[in-house]
């Protein structure tokens, strides 16, 4: 990860001084605030701000469900109940703002989640940094033969080396030519006086999709959990999953009770279809169920077996 | 306004103690935090939490537009530029959470704004308070004859008295019968042992639309401004406008530079149609323009004249 | 249900004539178009327009997942795969527009689903009809003692009669006084020349929450299914569930393959938590699991047993 | 533009046969349905489906505002009134679904509009076509010196030639190496038996940002107009503006009255700030106003003068 000395100085300054507030404070996330968690070779996730904590979820639920909830359960129990019964609005009462640095092809997948606020670094206005994602050799996976969105075994030997070399060369050349086309010197003056320099909004099209971009990304806790459920999943692409994993750590520090409930009722949960439930009931009654008499397709049966095996 | 002694004690306790935080703090809104601003006869607006300040808007804009913005403008100038040019995403980086008590018919209008998070007091689970909105005599307006959504002159004498009496009687009777149907004593036990008591989710249908409900409402600053532009407008119904006015005061304390820009470029701004612009250019060139030669309908011309008169 | 003769004539006229289109057509829903499905005593649901069909879901999925999907599966199989694996965007490619007449207290619950477009009849501009929901005697349920949002046994004898009488009287009186306050004759002129008449936006506050309102409601299929999963559920309030049931019938006629998948993987599906999965694996391995050694709370264990019993 | 013979055959087949429907039909857009409108060198916009027409806007407005609107205005007048007074919900009752082929860097800008449904061609599952955007020489603009997001004069001579050559070479090389890394033959078998082939989800990172992608994009008319106001604007980047222009033509054919109102009250409209209105009133009263005595910044004054000049 590359934080510029200037960025690091800003982080240190922001962390040096506390201010008094009347708002709820989550100690766990205060300890992380502003610091960059490294992800991939040049990326990071940083908490820039947050609103609310576990108690804010409980407070919102108690507005909705009234005084009765007060005695019925303690906070942790109520949060688990809310998560189990898909009560989403109390979780929407917490909000987090992150600064993320990530490759363009990851950003394109990420942005498909529409329920967040985004301020992305604009390559229409500014010049992107000279940083590209190059996978670690152990991440250089072949296309899976059985699963069209999955990865197979890791590339070896000369093929792996060539792939890495090509990725590096094409990114570098693309970036160098981007810079040449821009023709901007360090002080904004033309690097070469004899040329006009191509508009930034056009030159950027020469960049490869592993170039890093960055954004501020703000989302409520309910939608963050939805994002994490999809992207911290083993089926998610490795390059986005590592960001999701970093955000899981952040959520755990911020709202420990909600995160625990999320693990129990979402990340570690399994959904069975109507047919799967029939099979399950027959199995618990002692019957031997096979795919043939299950009423499920081969694919569903395989997924069912995998879920039962854990 | 009626805050219960219990609620007031909670507010006092929350305001008694500050905690240290590394997050941005807005002094202006800290001074308001938790206190209830009275609205109408029993309603209020309270700030429960907030995220960000004027500097957060600037910070997000500078991520988007890069280092160049750093020198070009000071913070206030940049915020005005963003507002003027409809850059909405930096304003989305600030968030506020309010506790609002409001009559049901106001809540129904309010909830039409979908871009907010809401936790409403649930009359399925809990029992609503015995509080209804009764207008002040000077708000008892007749239907406007010229404007189908407007108010005309104020009702007088016996008509006014009768209206107030009917509103009071029907609300009270509706609530008393609601309570009778519920048949719940103060401790939750049946008030009358001989009756089962109607389900809360059914009994609530007997309440009139001026009964007060309450909710937690969380929204980002861009969408708050959009709400305020529509609801702090003189054409908005008085009973929602007073809530918008209270929130304008809150926004002003929270993000003074953004609020100033909002007043300049939204609240006090005027939009002219293509035809109106043609007329304006002719008028500035010294021509006398009338509705007949304006190309506008009578209604548009009237609105155009009103805008020019200010 | 009360459709005015004028509304019925409009429906008949709209159904009398077909027009040629190049768009996809779903035969099943064409047969329902415009006709009102009665719900409760005066409510209805009517399909006003729709976009797409089962094939549109498949087509969108094939844009996303490319030519490979073409051979791999037939349409029904692909739709089931998409539903099972939470691929929501292809279902968003279908859209439906409904005209719904419903009591205000149901509308308030309904509108909490924010991902739809709504045009509601405005009581600021217009006068509501003299129609209120009065439950059937068999729906007059007592508050459940065990479940704070549920209904218990049905009220009997004098208590039931009194409740029905009160609901009827309070609604009627509230509406009559609303009309008196408005003071509008059938032709818009004052009913009583000596009075000004209260503004509509104010008079409406005297109406009870069982008065009927109506709206146009437009939503995509993914979000419709989300709504139906929550509201066609046995735990949903009866008065909204009957609307959800009517919409299930509409969805079944419109997109039969998608609806079948929705029943299999959503309506009839069960989600087990991480702890429940552990218990299940132990049970399938022959172990006797009780609440005591399950790691679940009493509430969770009860829900787990209910799910296994089916 | 490149439509494959297979795609063209599909379009021809879809256009060959009409089906009867009871739904509203817009003749203007039926004439465009499925045909591809060419945009840039390989892109296009195609209407795939639509819901509603001008009459649907009127119908929804009349549900909201009641019978009174019936006499007051004809349809065109009502639509203009709605647009002028920012009544957005009736326009949300129309929906359109488009198939768009566009360069990745344009797609990244486009997707920032979150209020639409999207199914994008997935380079995780499938292989992108060998097509990249290369600007026409007259679009090869220099960076504007005065406006950080704008284009200046057109590049000339050797600089222009070199830029075009670099864009072509880097795109081509990037794509060729992408294909080499994938190692997939035309039948899906390895092109080179001795290599495993890199996973698609990884190989895509080598593509430059001018490679074409495609998606289905579905949006309601209100949000489409919002998109068009921002992107059919002269300040929008040329490469997205040409898509917006094509969609303006589509909207005009689909909902002619609404489009006319959009031109009058949005595209051709001007908004004046509170300060600008003060100046305007002084000017109309005969006063000479200069930037010095205007209360506006230099930038605002320039924009104000430009708006008045038209």
């Amino acid at each position: 990860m590359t934080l510029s000395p200037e960025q690091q100085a800003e982080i240190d300054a922001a962390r040096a001084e506390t201010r008094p507030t009347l708002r709820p404070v989550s100690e766990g996330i205060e300890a992380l605030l502003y610091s960059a968690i490294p992800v991939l070779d040049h990326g990071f996730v940083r908490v820039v701000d947050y609103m609310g904590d576990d108690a804010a979820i409980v407070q919102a639920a108690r507005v909705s469900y009234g005084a009765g909830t007060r005695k019925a359960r303690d906070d942790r129990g109520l949060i688990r109940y809310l998560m189990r019964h898909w009560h989403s609005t109390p979780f929407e009462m917490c909000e987090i703002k992150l600064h993320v640095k990530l490759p363009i092809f990851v950003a394109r997948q990420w942005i498909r989640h529409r329920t967040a606020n985004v301020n992305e670094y604009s390559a229409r206005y500014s010049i992107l940094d000279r940083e590209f994602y190059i996978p670690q050799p152990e991440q250089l996976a072949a296309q899976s033969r059985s699963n069209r969105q999955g990865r197979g075994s890791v590339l070896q030997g000369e093929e792996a080396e060539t792939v890495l070399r090509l990725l590096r060369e094409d990114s570098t050349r693309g970036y160098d030519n981007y810079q040449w086309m821009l023709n901007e010197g360090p002080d904004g003056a033309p690097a070469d006086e004899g040329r006009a320099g191509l508009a930034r909004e056009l030159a950027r099209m020469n960049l490869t999709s592993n170039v890093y971009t960055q954004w501020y990304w703000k989302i409520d806790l309910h939608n963050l959990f939805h994002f994490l459920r999809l992207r911290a999943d083993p089926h998610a692409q490795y390059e986005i999953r590592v960001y999701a994993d970093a955000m899981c750590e952040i959520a755990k520090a911020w709202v420990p009770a909600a995160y625990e409930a999320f693990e129990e009722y979402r990340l570690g949960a399994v959904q069975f279809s109507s047919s799967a439930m029939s099979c399950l009931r027959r199995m618990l009654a002692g019957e031997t169920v096979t795919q043939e008499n299950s009423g499920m397709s081969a694919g569903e049966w395989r997924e069912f077996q995998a879920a039962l095996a854990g």
Side-chain angles (χ1 to χ4, degrees), chain A:
Chain A
M1 179 195 45
T2 3
L3 279 180
S4 67
E6 191 191 48
Q7 284 177 311
Q8 190 57 54
E10 270 178 32
I11 291 171
D12 293 344
R15 286 199 59 80
E17 198 188 344
T18 63
R19 278 162 295 274
T21 186
L22 290 164
R23 291 173 291 173
V25 170
S26 161
E27 300 300 342
I29 201 168
E30 288 278 338
L32 296 176
L33 214 60
Y34 306 131
S35 305
I37 302 174
V39 184
L40 299 179
D41 49 357
H42 300 291
F44 59 74
V45 178
R46 292 196 315 129
V47 183
V48 172
D49 206 346
Y50 69 92
M51 173 195 273
D53 56 4
D54 278 329
I57 300 165
V58 168
Q59 185 187 36
R62 291 200 162 133
V63 167
S64 295
Y65 311 128
T69 44
R70 223 160 287 237
K71 18 200 164 160
R73 286 173 220 269
D74 65 356
D75 286 7
R76 179 174 166 275
L78 179 56
I79 286 175
R80 292 172 71 88
Y81 176 89
L82 295 169
M83 183 73 78
R84 194 159 83 248
H85 291 273
W86 303 92
H87 291 269
S88 54
T89 56
F91 297 100
E92 294 174 8
M93 289 289 139
C94 294
E95 189 91 14
I96 194 165
K97 185 158 63 176
L98 302 169
H99 180 193
V100 186
K101 187 165 185 180
L102 71 180
I104 286 175
F105 74 97
V106 175
R108 298 230 309 130
Q109 196 170 61
W110 189 308
I111 203 77
R112 298 298 311 280
H113 298 262
R114 287 163 297 179
T115 47
N117 307 114
V118 184
N119 274 277
E120 184 174 356
Y121 189 85
S122 168
R124 258 194 108 185
Y125 295 77
S126 301
I127 301 177
L128 283 165
D129 290 338
R130 197 180 198 278
E131 287 175 328
F132 354 98
Y133 168 60
I134 304 294
Q136 292 297 304
E138 66 270 22
Q139 288 304 330
L140 222 55
Q143 180 67 27
S144 163
R145 293 295 155 204
S146 62
N147 181 337
R148 294 179 56 259
Q149 70 178 294
R151 296 189 182 183
S153 56
V154 173
L155 299 195
Q156 301 295 334
E158 200 187 312
E159 182 175 12
E161 278 165 40
T162 311
V163 163
L164 287 176
R165 183 176 52 76
L166 290 174
L167 288 175
R168 225 176 262 121
E169 283 177 7
D170 287 355
S171 313
T172 308
R173 186 187 299 105
Y175 191 89
D176 289 346
N177 287 335
Y178 163 70
Q179 258 187 328
W180 185 90
M181 293 190 254
L182 288 173
N183 191 36
E184 298 196 30
D187 53 349
D192 170 352
E193 282 292 343
R195 291 197 286 117
L198 186 65
R200 291 168 181 175
E201 67 180 28
L202 285 169
R204 61 175 162 170
M205 84 175 79
N206 206 56
L207 296 170
T208 48
S209 302
N210 58 344
V211 165
Y212 276 88
T213 182
Q214 50 183 296
W215 59 36
Y216 272 42
W217 190 66
K218 177 169 148 289
I219 193 166
D220 68 58
L221 182 59
H222 167 68
N223 281 294
L224 177 65
F225 279 153
H226 183 69
F227 181 97
L228 295 178
R229 181 160 70 121
L230 296 174
R231 302 305 182 183
D233 186 274
H235 293 96
Q237 180 165 355
Y238 169 80
E239 281 78 15
I240 197 166
R241 202 168 67 233
V242 286
Y243 286 90
D245 290 345
M247 290 189 285
C248 282
E249 290 309 306
I250 290 168
K252 200 173 179 172
W254 174 28
V255 281
Y259 187 78
E260 186 200 54
F262 169 66
E263 279 193 315
E264 171 76 0
Y265 301 109
R266 296 288 183 279
L267 273 192
V270 171
Q271 174 154 307
F272 288 119
S273 70
S274 178
S275 302
M277 285 306 298
S278 301
C279 292
L280 203 53
R281 287 178 198 120
R282 288 159 61 197
M283 288 161 77
L284 288 168
E287 194 182 328
T288 300
V289 182
T290 62
Q291 194 231 312
E292 286 66 34
N293 67 20
S294 72
M296 291 191 239
S297 70
E300 282 179 86
W301 181 256
R302 203 166 45 235
E303 293 168 22
F304 179 59
Q305 291 304 308
L308 292 181

